[in-house]
Amino acid sequence: DGELKRWEGPCQEVISLVQVQKGGTLQPVILGCYPVLNEKEALEALEAAVRAYDNGCGLWPTMPVEGRIRHMELFVRKMLEKREEVVRLLMWEIGKTLPDSEKEFDRTVEYIRDTIEALKELDRTSSRFTIEQGILAQIRRAPLGVVLCMGPYNYPLNETFTTLIPALIMGNTVVFKPPKLGVLLHYPLLEAFREAFPPGVVNTVYGSGQKVVGPIMRSGKINVLAFIGSSTVADTLKQQHPKPHRLRSVLGLEAKNAAIVLPDADIEHTVEEILAGSLSYNGQRCTALKMLFVHNRIIDTFMKQFAAKVNSLKLGMPWEPGVKITPLPEANKIGYLQELIQDAVAHGASVVNPGGGENAGSIVRPAILYPVKDTMRVYAEEQFGPVVPIAGYDDIHEPIRYVIESNYGQQVSIFGTAPDLMASLIDPLVNQVCRVNINSQCQRGPDSFPFTGRKDSAEGTLSVTDALRVFSIRTLVAAKTT
Ligand code: G3H
């Protein structure tokens, strides 16, 4: 109802896996707690969103574009006041380094500003009058209804807002569930939402997916599902909707992006790009390079330089200067990575860099695995952590076959210098994935570029401009003139 009241119900503690040294041992830190809603409370939040959409004359869905923009600009101003608090929580809740946490916040603000500009342009070009066959029509871009937004832990702010913000600014109302890891950092922003938007337009729900999101999906009142996370969860959510095939979904899912290093690649440059591409934020990016194919003619030189770079990465706490490898926030991740490493070793691979895969508390030293074969789990599974599998190849069709046969289809990187060979690879690859990166790592940005994937990697396309279209529909008002 637009008022902030003290939460009297049950709460869930958030324990950071960023550990601190206390009396000679590493200990987890309790960061705070968040409210745990029950089914009734979750459905009340949904009803608030439905009311704000259905009865929203002049309030939100029918508000002129300039009005919605003014609200969004106010939100940006309020959000900026919370920068320090959100950045601090990004470090503590998900273990992201200080520079990367600042970048996530600033990139999100930039994304909102770009969205505002893109909406002005879209409004100029898509809202128009036309007369055809004696019918005067006003064509409009209209909202879709109630959008459920859920984002992942690795970009709990940015990824969530790249759906939530365009959904909102197009006039939809939103139910938003923050990720379980990265939940507290949304708390300072609740106040900003409350101050910037009319009641019922943004509704934040907390609690377990089953108890909170399940009833919301089963109600059939969600018009768009905007979810970034695992394909298994996405499938479950869609199936909960009474008419799963009628539900509009915008999904960002898993990926297993490959790098293909050709025999004439500039090794020094390639090593730098692959290092950042595979191990930024401990490899916990959907766009990370998760399988490397290096031509056998250069593999020894590549491996020597790559292993030296990996070993030089500084391990530590997110706020320490120069740190690159930080604690992993997911409690079961270390066990999973060790399983992948053991499986690869049992099938003939070695950990190339001494100490790779070993952990101190929740910090895992990156492991380079070589030679990786298709019989190993790490060849196909998305490790989403600091493990870098490498295979040598002689025939270029081997890495191409990998890309074709993968369950995923987000991006690929190719490294080389011979223009003809590079050019001959681009068309076959771009028809299997959605972005081919030449002599550069895989990445989402710039945010004006289309971001999507084939197969189990995505549904729908996100970019500043694409997202405005995804969260709206072309409607018209038509009148006979004769
Ligand atoms: O986890 C997926 C993110 O969208 C990756 O974004 O390539 O900018 O790190 P990024």
Side-chain angles (χ1 to χ4, degrees):
D1 58 8
E3 292 300 312
L4 272 193
K5 292 176 202 140
R6 192 180 160 74
W7 176 253
E8 304 289 355
C11 286
Q12 173 70 49
E13 261 181 0
V14 177
I15 300 174
S16 173
L17 285 176
V18 176
Q19 299 172 324
V20 292
Q21 196 82 30
K22 265 191 204 155
T25 52
L26 282 172
Q27 290 187 6
V29 176
I30 297 170
L31 292 179
C33 48
Y34 61 87
V36 178
L37 273 62
N38 59 31
E39 178 169 339
K40 182 170 164 285
E41 288 150 346
L43 290 174
E44 277 169 15
L46 170 67
E47 285 308 325
V50 172
R51 269 197 312 277
Y53 188 82
D54 290 347
N55 311 329
C57 279
L59 264 184
W60 193 248
T62 56
M63 185 182 285
V65 164
E66 308 77 54
R68 278 186 259 134
I69 287 176
R70 272 197 302 277
H71 282 272
M72 196 56 87
E73 285 168 341
L74 174 61
F75 176 70
V76 171
R77 287 198 295 279
K78 298 281 166 198
M79 182 177 167
L80 282 168
E81 290 168 13
K82 311 288 180 185
R83 183 178 187 272
E84 202 184 319
E85 207 174 337
V86 173
V87 165
R88 197 171 56 238
L89 282 163
L90 273 164
M91 290 191 283
W92 279 94
E93 282 196 271
I94 63 155
K96 194 168 269 194
T97 62
L98 175 61
D100 284 351
S101 296
E102 288 176 333
K103 198 163 136 198
E104 175 159 357
F105 188 94
D106 297 341
R107 178 179 176 180
T108 307
V109 169
E110 200 55 31
Y111 184 92
I112 304 176
R113 289 182 171 141
D114 290 348
T115 299
I116 291 172
E117 291 312 309
L119 177 58
K120 289 179 189 165
E121 179 60 22
L122 184 68
D123 192 47
R124 254 195 306 277
T125 52
S126 69
S127 182
R128 64 189 177 90
F129 285 94
T130 182
I131 295 187
E132 281 192 40
Q133 297 178 16
I135 299 174
L136 169 67
Q138 184 197 24
I139 298 172
R140 305 170 174 190
R141 275 249 155 220
L144 292 159
V146 179
V147 181
L148 174 64
C149 288
M150 294 171 71
Y153 83 83
N154 62 335
Y155 281 87
L157 180 67
N158 184 265
E159 292 268 19
T160 312
F161 276 32
T162 58
T163 60
L164 193 151
I165 296 297
L168 269 183
I169 209 164
M170 291 313 291
N172 302 281
T173 60
V174 168
V175 178
F176 155 50
K177 182 180 172 301
K180 205 165 141 197
L181 296 165
V183 56
L184 294 180
L185 61 93
H186 284 283
Y187 190 73
L189 300 173
L190 273 186
E191 184 67 15
F193 278 127
R194 193 184 70 86
E195 287 172 347
F197 297 103
V201 172
V202 188
N203 304 276
T204 311
V205 293
Y206 295 90
S208 86
Q210 242 180 351
K211 288 196 185 130
V212 169
V213 183
I216 290 175
M217 285 308 297
R218 283 192 293 274
S219 73
K221 293 182 180 176
I222 292 296
N223 301 99
V224 187
L225 170 66
F227 174 83
I228 302 181
S230 86
S231 53
T232 317
V233 176
D235 290 345
T236 308
L237 291 171
K238 280 173 79 163
Q239 279 150 18
Q240 287 171 332
H241 191 270
K243 291 183 181 168
H245 300 298
R246 298 266 182 280
L247 179 71
R248 184 180 285 211
S249 313
V250 190
L251 310 176
L253 307 171
E254 295 117 39
K256 183 83 179 172
N257 295 340
I260 305 173
V261 184
L262 301 170
D264 61 349
D266 171 340
I267 295 189
E268 204 174 311
H269 170 78
T270 304
V271 162
E272 284 298 341
E273 283 293 318
I274 289 185
L275 186 76
S278 57
L279 290 171
S280 298
Y281 186 41
N282 309 309
Q284 301 169 113
R285 294 160 59 231
C286 64
T287 48
L289 289 170
K290 297 184 184 122
M291 182 67 213
L292 312 185
F293 290 89
V294 181
H295 196 277
N296 280 328
R297 212 183 301 154
I298 54 162
I299 192 130
D300 291 342
T301 323
F302 174 88
M303 196 69 82
K304 214 167 135 197
Q305 291 190 24
F306 185 61
K309 286 278 179 192
V310 169
N311 282 350
S312 70
L313 293 174
K314 188 171 166 192
L315 279 54
M317 292 299 158
W319 47 85
E320 289 169 9
V323 157
K324 298 286 183 208
I325 300 296
T326 53
L328 302 179
E330 284 184 297
N332 51 4
K333 184 48 84 58
I334 297 174
Y336 172 68
L337 295 176
Q338 279 163 356
E339 264 179 36
L340 286 185
I341 294 170
Q342 280 158 16
D343 170 78
V345 169
H347 287 86
S350 303
V351 177
V352 172
N353 53 325
E358 289 171 10
N359 66 297
S362 48
I363 301 180
V364 175
R365 185 176 291 284
I368 306 171
L369 292 171
Y370 173 78
V372 167
K373 304 258 183 283
D374 59 5
T375 46
M376 301 170 190
R377 285 175 57 188
V378 75
Y379 185 83
E381 284 180 35
E382 187 194 34
Q383 65 271 43
F384 216 77
V387 170
V388 188
I390 305 183
Y393 74 92
D394 289 311
D395 179 351
I396 189 65
H397 292 100
E398 294 170 45
I400 291 180
R401 182 178 62 90
Y402 177 84
V403 175
I404 294 172
E405 290 178 357
S406 171
N407 290 333
Y408 307 112
Q410 192 196 64
Q411 300 188 21
V412 69
S413 288
I414 46 177
F415 294 90
T417 47
D420 290 354
L421 177 56
M422 299 286 275
S424 70
L425 294 176
I426 292 170
D427 283 351
L429 286 172
V430 87
N431 288 341
Q432 297 293 335
V433 295
C434 287
R435 174 166 166 168
V436 175
N437 300 280
I438 298 175
N439 288 320
S440 59
Q441 58 165 305
C442 296
Q443 61 183 17
R444 175 175 179 158
D447 290 328
S448 55
F449 286 1
F451 180 55
T452 184
R454 300 169 192 261
K455 300 186 253 184
D456 277 347
S457 284
E459 208 175 300
T461 302
L462 289 172
S463 75
V464 169
T465 47
D466 282 298
L468 296 178
R469 294 194 169 85
V470 163
F471 291 107
S472 61
I473 189 167
R474 291 181 85 209
T475 57
L476 66 155
V477 181
K480 274 201 169 171
T481 55
T482 51

